[in-house]
Amino acid sequence: MERKSFSCRDTASCLALLAVALCLGAATVARGQLTDDFYDDCCPQAENIVRARVSAAMKAEPRMGASLLRLHFHDCFVNGCDGSILLDGNNTEKLAGPNLNSARGFDVVDAIKADLEKACPGVVSCADILAIAAKYGVLLSGGPDYDVLLGRRDGLVANQSGANSNLPSPFDPISTITKKFSDVGLNTTDVVVLSGGHTIGRARCVLFSGRLANFSATSSVDPTLNASLASSLQALCRGGDGNQTAALDDGSADAFDNHYYQNLLGQRGLLSSDQGLFSSTDGSAATTRALVQAYSASSERFFCDFGRSMLKMGNILPLTGSAGQIRSNCRAIN
Ligand code: HEM
Ligand SMILES: *[C@@H]1O[C@H](CO)[C@@H](O)[C@H](O)[C@H]1NC(C)=O
Ligand SMILES: *[C@@H]1O[C@H](CO)[C@@H](O)[C@H](O)[C@H]1NC(C)=O
Ligand SMILES: *[C@@H]1O[C@H](CO)[C@@H](O)[C@H](O)[C@H]1NC(C)=O
Ligand SMILES: *[C@@H]1O[C@H](CO)[C@@H](O)[C@H](O)[C@H]1NC(C)=O
Ligand SMILES: *[C@@H]1O[C@H](CO)[C@@H](O)[C@H](O)[C@H]1NC(C)=O
Ligand SMILES: *[C@@H]1O[C@H](CO)[C@@H](O)[C@H](O)[C@H]1NC(C)=O
């Protein structure tokens, strides 16, 4: 196991050096120490193994692509992309507010890890599994293909307070969300384009019913919520326990496309934090509004920028070299 993991690292270093020698150095440096061919020598089938499991899970439930995308995001924003969200225990990220009764897909990750441990024991990190699963969650929903960068190692601690403080809330104003992104090195373009991840997936009533009449203290509908959407959401959430779910991208729930941004132009964003990208007046409103308009008009631009921002997000403080470990079970440190 040890030797295999060493050979991976050595191979990657060699390739990185080679790339510099071939004057591809700028790209290599900008991407930190992650590479797109990290497992080529020691587990060339890694991406296909992940893809097969993601594909099967999405055939059973198309939403699973969205759930896996969100796991990678929630992993990366807390202590970097280190698989920390996957750890089980009492004081874990899984039990933090933004993840409790919300984050899903852990069983799919376990199945992927089991397959990988059979094929190449001790080689592929749980943090990289999340990055690859997110890529295929997007691609198999009809989204862009991008070369996912690999070579992350797994962290040794979960950080519940970090998850509570770093992850954006749907109740945050856009200026707070932008600040939480900039704290991890992501800018306003990244905020708008990565929010486009909400072109797939679902959210629970409890996270948007405050925008509906009869659910909020004022009993009036959020003025930036389309009236016809508001009444269908009221019907969905009325008398419910807050666990009912609605599509984040109403009218195109499971397709990765730029319909999410078109919805924002018609005040059909589900979360306050979605609609705020177009309708809010705080912080960088002019910038976010212009980007929403650009992405609503061009799926090519959305797809291209989304891939670029996913690489930036996937590159938040990765553990590389001999830091951390390669977990054999994603739920526990070795
Ligand atoms: C910009 C700030 C963001 C906020 C405030 C936010 C908030 C939320 C909330 C409240 C939910 C629903 C959770 C539930 O119902 O329990 C959700 C779901 C989701 N989020 Fe975000 N999110 C943000 C950014 C992102 C980013 C950057 C991505 C990925 C690139 C992402 C991907 C998703 C996906 C795919 C789902 C659906 C998951 C599923 O159906 O299982 N979100 N988000
Ligand atoms: C979690 O907390 C319970 C109750 O305090 C305790 O019995 C258990 O040993 C703890 N588990 C871990 C993994 O720390
Ligand atoms: C947890 O996350 C917070 C916020 O990012 C950070 O300040 C803190 O150092 C982290 N703690 C651990 C133990 O990693
Ligand atoms: C955000 O960063 C990207 C490069 O990663 C850059 O192209 C873009 O213009 C930046 N956006 C803003 C609003 O500064
Ligand atoms: C909201 O409350 C008012 C007054 O209590 C009631 O007449 C109306 O039917 C309610 N609307 C919904 C959608 O529940
Ligand atoms: C919502 O679902 C969670 C998880 O299944 C459950 O613990 C919680 O009690 C439910 N909420 C309500 C109000 O029933
Ligand atoms: C509300 O949504 C409907 C249906 O998509 C659309 O025709 C209408 O223009 C929207 N209203 C506003 C204020 O954008």
Side-chain angles (χ1 to χ4, degrees):
M1 285 189 185
E2 286 284 293
R3 295 223 325 277
K4 277 188 178 152
S5 118
F6 260 93
S7 85
C8 251
R9 211 157 57 225
D10 294 344
T11 303
S13 313
C14 284
L15 290 172
L17 287 174
L18 189 62
V20 171
L22 292 172
C23 299
L24 299 170
T28 306
V29 170
R31 290 166 176 188
Q33 298 175 72
L34 304 180
T35 61
D36 63 7
D37 48 14
F38 190 79
Y39 296 111
D40 279 11
D41 283 340
C42 49
C43 194
Q45 67 274 52
E47 279 197 48
N48 284 335
I49 287 173
V50 179
R51 181 188 174 120
R53 279 286 178 186
V54 174
S55 172
M58 289 175 67
K59 281 199 180 98
E61 185 198 20
R63 180 186 174 190
M64 189 50 69
S67 304
L68 292 167
L69 170 60
R70 187 165 184 244
L71 278 188
H72 180 47
F73 157 48
H74 280 203
D75 183 34
C76 291
F77 267 56
V78 184
N79 286 20
C81 312
D82 66 346
S84 55
I85 193 177
L86 301 172
L87 290 170
D88 278 344
N90 282 332
N91 199 29
T92 56
E93 292 170 30
K94 275 180 184 172
L95 302 179
N99 293 325
L100 183 65
N101 298 327
S102 179
R104 54 204 300 283
F106 298 111
D107 294 345
V108 177
V109 174
D110 289 340
I112 293 169
K113 183 64 180 175
D115 286 354
L116 285 169
E117 288 299 300
K118 263 183 229 146
C120 351
V123 170
V124 182
S125 68
C126 298
D128 276 351
I129 289 173
L130 291 181
I132 303 169
K135 173 208 161 102
Y136 286 109
V138 168
L139 183 61
L140 298 174
S141 299
D145 199 352
Y146 55 86
D147 286 338
V148 65
L149 297 179
L150 302 169
R152 299 169 191 80
R153 290 166 63 84
D154 296 322
L156 305 177
V157 293
N159 187 346
Q160 188 173 93
S161 64
N164 281 319
S165 60
N166 292 11
L167 290 168
S169 154
F171 311 116
D172 283 341
I174 299 300
S175 55
T176 302
I177 290 174
T178 305
K179 168 75 166 66
K180 288 177 175 179
F181 274 66
S182 74
D183 284 347
V184 294
L186 300 177
N187 68 20
T188 303
T189 305
D190 301 314
V191 171
V192 178
V193 75
L194 291 173
S195 291
H198 290 177
T199 176
I200 50 177
R202 307 285 186 280
R204 291 170 297 150
C205 284
V206 67
L207 298 164
F208 58 80
S209 55
R211 306 181 69 205
L212 310 174
N214 295 10
F215 290 89
S216 60
T218 59
S219 274
S220 63
V221 176
D222 180 334
T224 67
L225 177 59
N226 186 293
S228 65
L229 179 59
S231 55
S232 64
L233 294 175
Q234 277 168 343
L236 173 79
C237 299
R238 183 184 305 130
D241 60 9
N243 282 336
Q244 294 290 323
T245 62
L248 281 157
D249 182 9
D250 182 61
S252 172
D254 294 317
F256 196 104
D257 55 23
N258 68 340
H259 188 265
Y260 165 84
Y261 297 103
Q262 292 164 0
N263 266 348
L264 299 185
L265 303 188
Q267 302 196 320
R268 302 182 71 87
L270 184 64
L271 305 175
S272 171
S273 53
D274 293 318
Q275 193 56 49
L277 297 172
F278 184 71
S279 302
S280 98
T281 51
D282 84 320
S284 46
T287 306
T288 63
R289 188 181 171 94
L291 285 166
V292 167
Q293 280 166 325
Y295 295 136
S296 75
S298 169
S299 62
E300 287 77 13
R301 182 157 171 204
F302 169 45
F303 277 24
C304 174
D305 286 4
F306 187 83
R308 184 184 65 181
S309 289
M310 284 297 287
L311 295 192
K312 280 176 82 174
M313 186 176 83
N315 215 357
I316 298 171
L317 298 176
L319 297 172
T320 55
S322 58
Q325 61 180 210
I326 306 297
R327 275 181 226 148
S328 51
N329 169 357
C330 291
R331 293 176 180 269
I333 60 172
N334 296 339

